[in-house]
């Protein structure tokens, strides 16, 4: 219950389903590039989680991975991620900005649902590339945010 920070060692390749969910005191998670998969609900409802570092190499975020992380204010999605599956950040009510690479091809249903403070999306591609992304329903906060292209 008093876990406040996790820094996974190089060599760890997967974080299991629900591994750190509901860790009430967790505020920092550093995920190395050797991790390729984070399971469903792995960090769900970690209400104090404010600092998440995801390194290149990660290719799969499970469903609702960071849902309900109400202290999260910004997130950088690594270039190795091409799809954000359903509800990854649902209910992250203080999420203000996200950074997405031009490698993103799809954003699943409700990935940013109820992210009521999402204001800025920093996208490394062009407006034309952004418009080619498949964005599922219940992502109103994402589609109504200010998109900053080429950043």
């Amino acid at each position: 219950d008093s876990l406040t920070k996790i820094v996974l060692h190089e060599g760890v390749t997967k974080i299991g389903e629900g591994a750190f969910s509901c860790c009430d005191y967790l505020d920092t998670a550093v995920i190395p590039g050797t991790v390729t998969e984070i399971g469903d609900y792995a960090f769900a409802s970690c209400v104090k989680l404010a600092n998440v570092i995801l390194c290149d190499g990660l290719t799969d975020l499970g469903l609702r991975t960071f849902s309900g992380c109400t202290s999260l204010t910004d997130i950088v999605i690594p270039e190795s991620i091409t799809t954000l599956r359903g509800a990854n950040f649902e209910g992250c009510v203080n999420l203000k900005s996200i950074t997405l690479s031009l490698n993103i091809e799809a954003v699943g249903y409700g990935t940013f649902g109820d992210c009521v403070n999402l204001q800025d999306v920093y996208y490394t591609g062009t407006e034309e590339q952004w418009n080619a992304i498949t964005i599922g329903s219940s992502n109103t906060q994402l589609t109504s945010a200010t998109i900053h292209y080429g950043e």
Side-chain angles (χ1 to χ4, degrees):
D1 268 322
S2 61
L3 181 66
T4 60
K5 180 177 183 176
I6 61 161
V7 179
L8 296 176
H9 297 286
E10 293 286 330
V12 174
T13 60
K14 179 180 179 179
I15 297 172
E17 185 174 316
F20 299 100
S21 67
C22 298
C23 284
D24 293 337
Y25 300 100
L26 184 64
D27 66 14
T28 301
V30 180
I31 314 300
T34 57
V35 173
T36 58
E37 179 183 348
I38 299 178
D40 297 351
Y41 299 91
F43 293 92
S45 300
C46 291
V47 295
K48 291 191 178 181
L49 186 60
N51 305 299
V52 175
I53 298 171
L54 302 172
C55 293
D56 241 358
L58 181 64
T59 57
D60 186 20
L61 284 178
L63 299 172
R64 298 183 182 273
T65 314
F66 294 98
S67 66
C69 292
T70 56
S71 294
L72 194 61
T73 59
D74 62 89
I75 190 77
V76 176
I77 305 299
E79 290 185 12
S80 50
I81 294 281
T82 58
T83 300
L84 292 171
R85 299 193 304 153
N88 290 120
F89 299 95
E90 180 184 48
C92 293
V93 295
N94 289 307
L95 187 64
K96 292 183 175 93
S97 72
I98 58 170
T99 302
L100 298 170
S101 83
L102 59 87
N103 296 333
I104 290 288
E105 299 169 359
V107 176
Y109 172 86
T111 296
F112 296 99
D114 296 324
C115 293
V116 295
N117 286 304
L118 184 58
Q119 299 167 1
D120 295 293
V121 176
Y122 297 93
Y123 178 65
T124 61
T126 65
E127 184 174 2
E128 181 180 30
Q129 289 168 313
W130 174 261
N131 291 331
I133 298 171
T134 301
I135 299 177
S137 61
S138 296
N139 280 300
T140 305
Q141 286 81 12
L142 175 69
T143 57
S144 62
T146 301
I147 312 298
H148 305 271
Y149 301 103
E151 298 191 29

